[in-house]
């Protein structure tokens, strides 16, 4: 099979080296001084209000599952680690350098002959996700190696060529849907071993004919997925950074329209396509392309303003990188439950969803480290899930103690930094008519004392409500203060302005 070399262009496309893409994820969006005509801009309005999109923005927590042939090696082969030879575990097919096994690509491309996951139980996966508090799940139908986990009529390189011979995508979609978890299908456009795939834009007549054949193949598979699995809520596209796809903006624009026509309410993220000027995720006017920002991958926005009001989700690995199964986690910092809870609440406090990745092994078993995290997250969500599911950004001065989320007249403060004086001071604009009037800690029935502390700072736009955390209250993990908001009991004193 033809092997593609990874050019700088590809890395540029991935945003690994281009200022344009990374600038969108390291601060507020840069919008052009003047708008210009963009023919291949957004197809759907920003912040759709239909039921599917309303459900999306209220998920809070999701699960990503990367599973495929790369799970068999688990980022190593015959005792040799691929850590220094491949960019990530699910990129192990690109393993190169002195410790890469001899004829590795050929070995990898024959792994399908041994893919027969005896421990695979989609219902057990779905139950684990349900207990963890996940409300949606993104599943890899086909990653960059091109191997399809569903029986596709458009390729022989699919699950029916393996000893397993059953429709894995259907098993996953059915099991998660039965648990009430919405399913989104991950689909890689990029296919390393497809002879019709090109990284660069086609130039010659032969290249154009070949790549057009690839585009039609891509469209056929996507339509097939919508036909086979009508329960799904959306697509999570990947591998759309190469110039071949970027220059196909007329095709991708019309393909997005056709997918939406075939599946009303379909949700598509901003990574699917670009405008005619090559602007990905956001068009040349800074308008989002797709229904939600899909660039928060292993990174999080640091302020509400960075989002420009767009819907978004952040996808996160437990190890530093590596989405597919990694047998050996030793020597790596793997995120703790507390790290992940902090990221979850940061995301929800900024109106985003947090999606945690799991990479099952070649037999279909989750990594023991993932099982532990899922259990601990689930225990926390069982007590505190109401501060996540359906909760949104609270328009309040940022707290030093943790993250605010809000639901109607209920305000939640997820405390990650417990104040040494046990006073959780809530800053509220003086003009606000919604202030904390009662408080309790989720999972604890006791009503907490709430004291209005008008500390009288000059030029201060805020007043303060102190929620007293009982000295005897112990917690080994973040806890959530739930407050009911109501009219302030007394007006804030008018103090003389300081004379300076
Ligand atoms: O190249 C892929 C990578 O393997 C992984 O699938 C992530 C998570 O979606 N996306 C791309 C890297 O940005």
């Amino acid at each position: 099979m033809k092997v593609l070399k990874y050019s700088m262009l590809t890395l540029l496309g991935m945003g690994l080296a281009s200022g344009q893409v990374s600038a969108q994820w390291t601060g507020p969006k840069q919008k052009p001084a003047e708008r210009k005509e963009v023919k291949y801009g957004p197809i759907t309005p920003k912040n759709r209000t239909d039921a599917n999109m309303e459900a999306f923005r209220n998920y809070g927590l999701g699960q990503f599952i990367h599973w495929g042939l790369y799970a068999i090696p688990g980022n190593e082969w015959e005792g040799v680690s691929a850590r220094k030879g491949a960019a990530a575990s699910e990129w192990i097919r690109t393993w190169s350098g002195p410790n890469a096994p001899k004829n590795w690509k050929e070995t990898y491309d024959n792994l399908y002959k041994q893919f027969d996951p005896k421990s695979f139980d989609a219902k057990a996966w779905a139950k684990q996700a349900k207990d963890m508090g996940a409300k949606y799940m993104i599943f890899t139908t086909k990653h960059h190696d091109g191997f399809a986990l569903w029986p596709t009529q458009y390729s022989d390189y699919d699950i029916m060529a393996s000893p397993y011979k059953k429709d894995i995508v259907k098993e996953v979609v059915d099991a998660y849907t039965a648990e009430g978890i919405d399913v989104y299908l991950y689909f890689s456009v990029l296919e390393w071993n497809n002879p019709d795939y090109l990284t660069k834009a086609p130039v010659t007549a032969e290249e154009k004919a070949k790549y057009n054949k690839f585009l039609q193949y891509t469209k056929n598979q996507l339509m097939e997925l919508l036909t086979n699995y009508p329960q799904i809520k959306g697509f999570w596209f990947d591998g759309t950074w190469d110039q071949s796809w970027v220059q196909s903006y007329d095709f991708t624009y019309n393909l997005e329209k056709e997918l939406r026509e075939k599946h009303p309410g379909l949700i598509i993220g901003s990574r699917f396509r670009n405008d005619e000027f090559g602007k990905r995720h956001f068009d040349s006017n800074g308008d989002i392309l797709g229904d939600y920002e899909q660039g928060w991958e292993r990174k999080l926005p640091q302020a509400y303003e960075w989002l420009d009001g767009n819907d978004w989700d952040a996808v996160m690995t437990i190890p530093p990188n590596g989405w597919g199964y990694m047998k050996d986690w030793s020597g790596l910092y793997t995120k703790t439950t507390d790290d992940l809870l902090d990221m979850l609440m940061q995301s929800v406090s900024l109106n985003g969803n947090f999606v945690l990745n799991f990479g099952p092994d070649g037999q279909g078993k989750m990594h023991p480290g993932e099982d532990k995290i899922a259990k601990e997250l689930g225990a926390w969500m069982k007590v505190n899930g109401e501060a996540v599911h359906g909760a949104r950004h609270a328009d309040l001065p940022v707290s030093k103690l943790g993250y605010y989320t809000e639901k109607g007249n209920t305000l939640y403060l997820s405390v990650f930094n417990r104040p040494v004086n046990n006073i959780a001071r809530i800053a509220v604009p003086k003009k606000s008519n919604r202030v904390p009037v009662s408080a309790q800690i989720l999972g604890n029935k006791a009503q907490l004392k709430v004291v209005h502390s008008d500390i009288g700072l000059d030029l201060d736009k805020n007043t303060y409500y102190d929620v007293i955390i009982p000295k005897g209250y112990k917690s080994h993990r973040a806890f959530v203060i739930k407050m009911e908001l109501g009219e302030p009991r007394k007006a804030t004193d008018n103090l003389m302005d300081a004379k300076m």
Side-chain angles (χ1 to χ4, degrees):
M1 285 182 179
K2 190 172 176 300
V3 171
L4 297 164
K5 289 281 174 240
Y6 266 71
S7 67
M8 189 59 189
L9 197 57
T10 302
L11 296 179
L12 273 169
M14 286 174 74
L16 299 180
S18 77
Q20 178 234 354
V21 174
S22 57
Q24 294 161 340
W25 318 108
T26 53
K29 303 284 181 285
Q30 289 127 22
K31 296 241 182 173
E34 284 176 34
R35 292 181 66 87
K36 65 196 234 184
E37 190 193 343
V38 174
K39 187 178 173 197
Y40 296 92
I43 290 169
T44 48
K46 179 174 175 170
N47 305 134
R48 280 169 41 186
T49 55
D50 56 283
N52 281 3
M53 205 59 216
E54 280 300 321
F56 176 90
R57 59 175 65 98
N58 284 298
Y59 288 142
L61 176 62
Q63 180 190 43
F64 210 151
I65 291 189
H66 273 71
W67 199 36
L69 299 179
Y70 41 80
I72 295 172
N75 212 40
E76 56 187 67
W77 192 253
E78 294 173 350
V80 178
S81 170
R83 265 189 207 172
K84 295 189 172 31
S89 45
E90 71 286 353
W91 277 57
I92 194 169
R93 185 178 182 275
T94 66
W95 191 353
S96 61
N99 72 342
K102 195 167 172 306
N103 301 325
W104 171 244
K105 292 272 186 317
E106 189 184 339
T107 304
Y108 184 93
D109 288 343
N110 282 285
L111 288 177
Y112 72 94
K113 294 174 184 169
Q114 58 180 288
F115 190 63
D116 190 13
K118 299 293 187 196
S119 307
F120 171 51
D121 178 349
K123 289 177 181 163
W125 287 7
K127 176 76 172 58
Q128 180 182 52
K130 177 85 173 188
D131 292 348
M132 185 175 83
K135 292 290 186 183
Y136 72 128
M137 183 270 206
I138 304 164
F139 183 67
T140 48
T141 59
K142 179 189 75 173
H143 204 261
H144 307 333
D145 60 10
F147 183 71
L149 292 182
W150 81 98
T152 175
Q153 56 181 302
Y154 302 103
S155 164
D156 296 334
Y157 195 43
D158 72 351
I159 194 68
M160 302 315 280
S162 76
Y164 188 71
K165 290 193 189 313
K166 285 179 285 183
D167 185 344
I168 283 179
V169 174
K170 176 170 174 35
E171 289 186 82
V172 167
V173 170
D174 289 350
Y176 277 78
T177 304
E179 286 287 359
I181 298 175
D182 286 347
V183 178
Y184 289 64
L185 297 183
Y186 168 107
F187 182 93
S188 172
V189 167
L190 162 64
E191 271 197 25
W192 284 319
N193 62 355
N194 189 315
D196 297 326
Y197 187 81
L198 288 172
T199 51
K200 66 182 183 61
V203 175
T204 66
E206 186 202 358
E207 288 173 339
K208 287 177 181 171
K210 210 161 66 148
Y211 194 67
N212 284 338
K213 191 174 155 213
F214 177 79
L215 291 176
Q216 186 56 48
Y217 156 78
T218 300
K219 175 178 173 181
N220 290 339
Q221 283 200 324
L222 289 171
M223 292 299 182
E224 181 179 60
L225 287 168
L226 290 179
T227 301
N228 293 3
Y229 317 107
Q231 313 96 307
I232 66 160
K233 298 297 178 186
F235 280 120
W236 207 96
F237 286 104
D238 207 1
T240 56
W241 44 74
D242 282 338
Q243 279 306 304
S244 50
W245 184 261
V246 170
Q247 295 303 324
S248 305
Y249 50 81
D250 181 76
F251 173 84
T252 58
Y253 181 85
N254 289 299
L255 177 55
E256 180 180 329
K257 289 178 82 168
E258 289 181 66
L259 292 172
R260 293 182 186 281
E261 280 155 21
K262 180 177 177 64
H263 195 101
L266 186 69
I267 293 176
I268 296 175
S270 63
R271 198 179 295 201
F272 178 51
R273 66 181 177 86
N274 48 269
D275 72 7
E276 61 267 41
F277 305 101
K279 294 284 188 181
R280 301 180 62 234
H281 294 276
F282 307 93
D283 73 3
S284 299
N285 291 318
D287 297 335
I288 187 167
L289 292 166
D291 302 310
Y292 65 95
E293 281 190 38
Q294 200 193 341
W296 300 104
E297 178 179 314
R298 291 179 35 239
K299 48 185 167 292
L300 291 173
Q302 298 307 307
Y304 186 61
E305 294 66 38
W306 288 23
L307 285 313
D308 192 30
N310 292 313
D311 295 296
W312 61 281
D313 70 4
V315 292
M316 195 62 67
T317 51
I318 296 172
N321 189 7
W323 302 79
Y325 175 63
M326 274 196 289
K327 193 181 298 180
D328 177 14
W329 282 11
S330 66
L332 295 174
Y333 183 85
T334 54
K335 297 170 191 71
T336 65
T337 299
D338 296 308
D339 292 332
L340 296 166
L341 284 172
D342 192 295
M343 294 178 183
L344 166 65
M345 296 321 293
Q346 179 176 341
S347 301
V348 180
S349 76
L350 300 178
N351 273 352
N353 296 323
F354 184 70
V355 185
L356 184 59
N357 182 71
F358 289 66
D361 68 14
Q363 289 306 318
K365 290 199 302 294
M366 298 296 178
H367 189 287
E370 292 168 337
D371 283 334
K372 176 175 180 290
I373 293 269
K375 193 166 171 221
E376 292 177 355
L377 273 183
W380 192 87
M381 287 292 287
K382 194 161 178 227
V383 174
N384 302 295
E386 68 175 272
V388 175
H389 298 140
R392 304 289 285 159
H393 171 72
D395 184 15
L396 284 172
V398 171
S399 171
K400 299 168 193 167
L401 309 181
Y403 305 99
Y404 288 123
T405 53
E406 194 177 271
K407 211 184 282 183
N409 274 327
T410 301
L411 175 69
Y412 300 96
L413 171 62
S414 298
V415 178
F416 287 84
N417 312 305
R418 180 169 180 162
V420 289
N421 62 4
N422 283 315
I423 296 175
R425 177 155 288 177
I426 314 294
V428 176
K430 281 178 180 168
K431 62 182 183 336
S432 173
N433 60 1
R434 295 169 75 234
V435 303
V437 293
S438 68
Q440 67 178 115
I441 293 173
L442 287 182
N444 188 305
K445 291 198 178 353
Q447 285 298 311
L448 304 181
K449 198 172 169 194
V450 179
V451 180
H452 180 198
S453 305
D454 199 1
I455 56 179
L457 285 180
D458 190 32
L459 304 179
D460 190 354
K461 292 187 172 57
N462 298 324
T463 189
Y464 303 87
Y465 289 81
D466 289 351
V467 177
I468 313 304
I469 302 164
K471 284 189 178 57
Y473 175 74
K474 300 290 179 232
S475 171
H476 72 286
R477 188 144 275 159
F479 57 92
V480 177
I481 297 175
K482 174 179 181 178
M483 292 161 271
E484 293 311 319
L485 302 177
E487 290 280 338
R489 293 207 176 96
K490 72 178 181 65
T492 303
D493 298 339
N494 279 326
L495 304 173
M496 179 185 83
D497 291 347
K499 305 288 181 220
M500 295 158 300

